[in-house]
Amino acid sequence: MKQQVLVIIKPDGLIKSLTGSILMKLSEAKLNIIGAKVVKPSRELAEKHYFHMKSKPFFEEIVQYICGQIHKTPRVLALVYQGENAIKKLRRIAGSTNPEEADPTTIRGAYGRITTKGVYENVLHVSGNLEDAEREIKLWFTPEEIVGDIYPVKEIVKEKTNALDWA
Ligand code: ADP
């Protein structure tokens, strides 16, 4: 079954110059990248992304982590992969949530760590299931930023908004 998955290389992945290695590892799944961008996550976006973790004692820490406050680099690389069994394939390459339990040959096993505050700094996010993938992709990307038709779209008339253009 063809699936779409959201992958986020978190700020530790970027600051440690792991982006190339991570993308190379992920390419072993032989999937297609259909969306990619560098994002400065707002607190609102991070809280929506982790809404299912709201009751966890480490919620504030993971929001700060993905926003780049811990690594003083407010950037993540957001990607959408597409292909057969994409979720299972990518999560296998990513490894377990807890980097200490992750197989050492996985991305999290090789590059992740647990901070002294107890946060799992596990380098990347990979959607856990189809429902999460759809919700997360719609949260991080607009239809126009994705190459291909993955979910139904509607045409809207945008109110006049201010935007920046190259001077
Ligand atoms: P995953 O990212 O593997 O889908 P979750 O959605 O359960 O895992 O958790 C979201 C993020 O919260 C994890 O990627 C990790 O950074 C952090 N996290 C999860 N569980 C813990 C934990 N028990 N202690 C500290 N941080 C955690």
Side-chain angles (χ1 to χ4, degrees):
M1 182 190 175
K2 213 172 184 185
Q3 301 175 330
Q4 285 75 237
V5 193
L6 179 76
V7 171
I8 295 171
I9 302 183
K10 299 181 186 179
D12 48 331
L14 298 190
I15 197 94
K16 293 177 180 172
S17 282
L18 295 172
T19 314
S21 308
I22 293 169
L23 292 178
M24 192 129 81
K25 267 268 179 209
L26 294 175
S27 71
E28 289 169 15
K30 301 196 184 341
L31 302 166
N32 291 322
I33 295 174
I34 57 169
K37 62 178 176 177
V38 178
V39 182
K40 179 182 175 180
S42 65
R43 190 172 169 100
E44 189 191 352
L45 175 62
E47 286 188 3
K48 281 187 182 162
H49 178 78
Y50 283 132
F51 88 102
H52 61 293
M53 310 292 277
K54 192 110 199 174
S55 61
K56 301 281 184 195
F58 50 82
F59 178 73
E60 177 59 29
E61 279 78 13
I62 58 173
V63 166
Q64 287 185 12
Y65 169 28
I66 203 161
C67 286
Q69 283 163 269
I70 294 175
H71 298 88
K72 314 251 176 300
T73 179
R75 291 177 299 123
V76 300
L77 182 60
L79 303 133
V80 179
Y81 282 82
Q82 184 183 55
E84 292 294 320
N85 290 322
I87 296 178
K88 200 170 160 194
K89 286 178 182 165
L90 292 180
R91 282 186 72 93
R92 189 181 298 142
I93 296 170
S96 305
T97 305
N98 179 340
E100 279 185 5
E101 286 172 6
D103 183 299
T105 63
T106 61
I107 296 168
R108 287 168 165 177
Y111 302 129
R113 65 169 198 146
I114 301 181
T115 67
T116 45
K117 282 191 176 170
V119 182
Y120 297 174
E121 251 182 48
N122 53 14
V123 191
L124 81 168
H125 168 82
V126 180
S127 308
N129 56 58
L130 273 181
E131 196 186 322
D132 284 354
E134 178 170 348
R135 185 185 71 80
E136 292 168 1
I137 291 168
K138 288 178 173 175
L139 186 61
W140 288 81
F141 285 83
T142 65
E144 284 164 344
E145 290 171 331
I146 302 285
V147 176
D149 302 323
I150 53 172
Y151 307 123
V153 291
K154 61 180 179 195
E155 234 178 76
I156 55 164
V157 179
K158 280 212 169 162
E159 294 293 320
K160 216 170 147 194
T161 51
N162 286 346
L164 294 181
D165 199 357
W166 304 118

